[in-house]
Amino acid sequence: MYGQQGQQPYGGPSQPQQQYGVPPQQYGVPPQQYGATQQPYGAPPQQQPYGAQQQYGAPQQPYGAAYSPYASAGATKPSSVLSVLSLVASIVGFLGVIVTFGAGVVFSIAAVVLGHIAGRRERQARKLWLPGLIVGYAGIALAVIIWIGLIVFFASMPGGSSGTFDGGYGQS
């Protein structure tokens, strides 16, 4: 045929056939010289000494080599549980102080403690533990103000400190 000299016919072998029983050459590995020692088929590849660099194109890990079944899927996101708990406890504590005349201060104290712990352990979650600290301290301050107000209110009632109750009408 015209223009097709030296080409293989369609579907014919494009490379010479390998001999039976000889393992195929791996991609990127230079062919071995005649007379060079070969590894037995199926033997693990030879290790390079520590610090030696692999050649470009050399396989990283041969097919069928062992792998670690506990390999990590990637970096995990740091936890921010304490920060979230601090923020939630501070909101519950602040609202509880208003509704229960200061008894919700327990949640505000828990929010402050959790906020300080989270500030040391979870630096990346500052947007959660810092408001938790601020609202927690505000809840404690509001509880103290409410308690002082209640003490002043009950102390200023007529006959509150004399121990006798005369109905608010002083007898002289």
Side-chain angles (χ1 to χ4, degrees), residues 78-93:
S79 175
S80 58
V81 174
L82 294 174
S83 301
V84 171
L85 287 176
S86 171
L87 184 61
V88 170
S90 68
I91 293 170
V92 170

Side-chain angles (χ1 to χ4, degrees), residues 23-165:
Q25 185 68 30
Q26 291 184 351
Y27 177 76
V29 178
Q32 292 185 349
Q33 298 291 332
Y34 179 74
T37 59
Q38 292 184 348
Q39 287 181 309
Y41 187 75
Q46 295 177 353
Q47 297 281 333
Q48 292 186 351
Y50 180 75
Q53 293 182 350
Q54 291 185 340
Q55 294 180 351
Y56 179 75
Q60 298 294 321
Q61 194 172 22
Y63 177 75
Y67 66 94
S68 173
Y70 302 106
S72 175
T76 58
K77 186 177 176 184
S79 175
S80 58
V81 174
L82 294 174
S83 301
V84 171
L85 287 176
S86 171
L87 184 61
V88 170
S90 68
I91 293 170
V92 170
F94 191 81
L95 294 175
V97 164
I98 294 172
V99 173
T100 62
F101 300 109
V105 74
V106 174
F107 289 103
S108 294
I109 293 171
V112 169
V113 170
L114 287 171
H116 281 290
I117 294 172
R120 276 188 249 122
R121 292 186 184 176
E122 303 169 355
R123 290 270 181 211
Q124 79 284 352
R126 183 182 173 115
K127 292 181 180 179
L128 296 172
W129 59 259
L130 187 60
L133 277 175
I134 293 170
V135 176
Y137 278 123
I140 292 171
L142 183 62
V144 169
I145 291 171
I146 288 175
W147 290 336
I148 291 173
L150 287 174
I151 290 171
V152 168
F153 174 74
F154 286 118
S156 66
M157 289 186 72
S161 61
S162 67
T164 61
F165 181 71

